[in-house]
Amino acid sequence: MLELNDVEKAISVLQDEGIIIYPTETFYGIGCKISSEKAISSIFQAKKRLLALPLPTIVSDLEQVCACTQLSKAMQSDVEELAHLFWAGPLTLLLPAKKYISTLLTGGTGKIAVRLSSHPIAVALAKGIGEPIVSSSANISGKNPTACFEELDDELLKRVDGYINSAPKPKGGQASTIIDVLGDKKIKILRSGAISLEQLQEKGYHLAGA
């Protein structure tokens, strides 16, 4: 395992289908490029995570969202507006994935979870490899995520190909809110988090079936 305080070195590891630990604005994340089934599988093994559980991703811009999703016009309009309102920030959008996206990443749901992080390193990694990166919390499944590098599980550290532990460090706080975007301003909240339902409702979004 290598210390990768040079982002370019970390990008090289990701391009070689490696997995790394890196900071996000809230907690440390574990990730790889989304086009590598081998690397995605390694993350499940490292975290001891059930294969049925999908993995979230971080994008560098809306272009990367469009590259990995299949959106209706109504969804496209909502995604663009939500991105304008809440990105970069703690809102994760669940969207229909393009057929080439690994079922390991989607958990067999046919949908991919994307967000634009406000952390410069996370965004630089996605931009540098030219595709979204997996952004699961860097913890063994069932254990708590951490914003402190010294609290990362030794077993997990031994299973990755490198790590970034440079500033800015994660600040903790609430995880991102995850919403299923259904189009025509209809949503489902899959995980409550830093962005509240009230904030979404203020912008005209409403729960499906409500």
Side-chain angles (χ1 to χ4, degrees):
M1 179 188 61
L2 298 172
E3 183 171 5
L4 302 167
N5 284 335
D6 182 338
V7 171
E8 291 303 317
K9 289 180 182 177
I11 289 169
S12 178
V13 171
L14 293 171
Q15 294 286 30
D16 288 340
E17 300 188 279
I19 64 174
I20 67 169
I21 287 174
Y22 61 93
T24 73
E25 66 271 35
T26 50
F27 304 109
Y28 279 94
I30 184 171
C32 65
K33 62 181 184 179
I34 68 165
S35 60
S36 172
E37 190 127 342
K38 171 189 171 186
I40 295 169
S41 179
S42 294
I43 287 179
F44 277 100
Q45 293 170 24
K47 284 176 61 77
K48 299 182 180 177
R49 184 180 174 93
L50 294 175
L51 289 175
L53 298 175
L55 293 170
T57 68
I58 281 176
V59 298
S60 64
D61 51 35
L62 267 176
E63 232 176 87
Q64 287 193 349
V65 175
C66 294
C68 66
T69 60
Q70 193 73 47
L71 305 178
S72 66
K73 286 185 178 179
M75 282 184 187
Q76 180 79 32
S77 175
D78 286 356
V79 168
E80 289 176 357
E81 182 179 53
L82 288 164
H84 174 72
L85 292 169
F86 297 107
W87 283 0
L91 182 67
T92 297
L93 310 179
L94 190 67
L95 304 169
K98 286 195 172 167
K99 289 182 179 179
Y100 78 86
I101 299 296
S102 170
T103 55
L104 283 178
L105 197 63
T106 64
T109 64
K111 294 187 175 184
I112 184 171
V114 299
R115 78 180 178 95
L116 177 61
S117 172
S118 61
H119 197 288
I121 290 176
V123 173
L125 293 173
K127 185 175 182 180
I129 64 169
E131 62 181 87
I133 57 171
V134 169
S135 184
S136 185
S137 55
N139 60 295
I140 302 294
S141 287
K143 296 186 178 181
N144 293 326
T146 182
C148 177
F149 187 84
E150 288 70 29
E151 292 177 0
L152 288 169
D153 196 292
D154 286 339
E155 184 180 359
L156 186 68
L157 285 168
K158 289 174 183 175
R159 288 174 171 263
V160 301
D161 300 297
Y163 64 89
I164 298 176
N165 184 30
S166 53
K169 301 297 178 69
K171 296 180 179 178
Q174 284 185 292
S176 68
T177 298
I178 302 177
I179 63 172
D180 193 351
V181 180
L182 303 174
D184 296 318
K185 295 209 164 185
K186 294 192 293 289
I187 60 171
K188 289 181 182 177
I189 293 187
L190 305 180
R191 182 180 75 189
S192 297
I195 303 297
S196 69
L197 173 59
E198 289 73 25
Q199 286 175 280
L200 292 160
Q201 288 174 326
E202 284 174 6
K203 302 303 181 181
Y205 290 86
H206 57 275
L207 297 176

